[in-house]
Amino acid sequence: MKKAPVIILEGTWWREHEVPQILPFFTALETSLNEIELSHRTFRSLEDIRYYISKIAKGTGAFLYFACHGENLNLSPVDGVKISHKDILESLQSAKKGAVDFIHFGCCEMVPKDRRASFEQLMGACDAKWISGYSKEVDWLPSTFLDLALVSEVFVPQYNNSKNSKTDGRSRPLRKNGSEFVNNYNELARKLGFSAISKVSKGNILFPSRLS
């Protein structure tokens, strides 16, 4: 059985040099879960994002995880660099067909008030099945724990369903796993402003249905 591919694009945070902060946590998950295949790249610019996304093979169905500072819908991988929602949309268009199934922004303030419209734009740019992120300024450690749970409890079952069975992976399993995830981590998810949208058989569904 194929392992679920998780691709981390991580900024340099507050450091000048490349010292990954997220990678050790996901390496531990890779070792303990034994169901994911991890890839990590440091990015500093829009050009880096576009390049790394274009290199993901057709049909990979990856979990693409942005790990960096965020502010007011802008990614900030290094000091002085801001990558806008429009820029992200442009970079996602470089993805090959079926290369990216999930996109998660492990960053502050990447979910706007009109989250459905924003998420659906991101979905349409690369035909992803799931988009998620945080609407608030988040603490680093709690959000990282929620990110790990998202991979293990939503993405991995979805990948196994879609890649290792005859179903299309778009209907009940993703809806069910998404709902259970939000319910199980309800207090933390609301505190961080977690929000997601997923494709299901009858359209797109938001998790949670309302933001607090």
Side-chain angles (χ1 to χ4, degrees):
M1 187 170 67
K2 292 182 179 179
K3 293 185 178 183
V6 175
I7 299 172
I8 300 173
L9 299 184
E10 184 171 4
T12 60
W13 303 100
W14 54 86
R15 301 172 183 266
E16 294 182 4
H17 304 291
E18 181 180 332
V19 182
Q21 303 296 303
I22 292 295
L23 181 59
F25 290 88
F26 277 82
T27 300
L29 181 66
E30 180 182 34
T31 302
S32 61
L33 188 62
N34 199 32
E35 288 189 88
I36 67 172
E37 182 178 352
L38 193 61
S39 175
H40 179 278
R41 298 288 185 272
T42 298
F43 80 103
R44 296 176 173 83
S45 66
L46 175 62
E47 289 71 25
D48 287 343
I49 296 176
R50 187 184 299 115
Y51 174 78
Y52 290 134
I53 289 176
S54 71
K55 293 300 180 181
I56 304 172
K58 179 181 178 181
T60 297
F63 182 104
L64 180 62
Y65 174 35
F66 291 94
C68 66
H69 289 302
E71 182 181 4
N72 194 26
L73 306 183
N74 294 300
L75 297 177
S76 183
V78 297
D79 286 343
V81 173
K82 290 189 176 181
I83 300 172
S84 69
H85 176 80
K86 181 180 178 181
D87 291 333
I88 297 167
L89 285 174
E90 178 190 337
S91 67
L92 290 174
Q93 292 171 357
S94 66
K96 298 179 177 67
K97 184 177 180 180
V100 178
D101 276 359
F102 276 52
I103 300 172
H104 178 64
F105 296 96
C107 323
C108 299
E109 300 178 355
M110 290 302 293
V111 177
K113 291 182 179 179
D114 60 338
R115 56 186 177 132
R116 178 179 288 276
S118 176
F119 282 163
E120 288 181 342
Q121 285 180 332
L122 294 167
M123 271 184 164
C126 62
D127 197 29
K129 295 173 182 169
W130 175 282
I131 309 288
S132 56
Y134 301 104
S135 64
K136 299 178 182 179
E137 185 174 336
V138 298
D139 291 332
W140 186 84
L141 193 58
S143 63
T144 299
F145 286 156
L146 197 63
D147 298 344
L148 291 165
L150 177 64
V151 169
S152 63
E153 298 180 26
V154 182
F155 173 63
V156 169
Q158 166 65 18
Y159 182 85
N160 289 339
N161 177 70
S162 62
K163 297 298 182 181
N164 301 311
S165 73
K166 296 180 180 179
T167 65
D168 67 3
R170 288 183 54 186
S171 54
R172 188 174 183 276
L174 186 52
R175 178 194 292 268
K176 178 176 180 290
N177 291 334
S179 296
E180 288 183 351
F181 174 79
V182 171
N183 289 336
N184 289 342
Y185 299 97
N186 179 62
E187 184 176 349
L188 179 58
R190 289 192 177 278
K191 180 180 179 181
L192 300 175
F194 174 85
S195 180
I197 193 170
S198 74
K199 285 184 180 178
V200 295
S201 56
K202 295 183 179 180
N204 300 325
I205 183 170
L206 287 169
F207 303 105
S209 57
R210 294 181 180 180
L211 287 178
S212 59

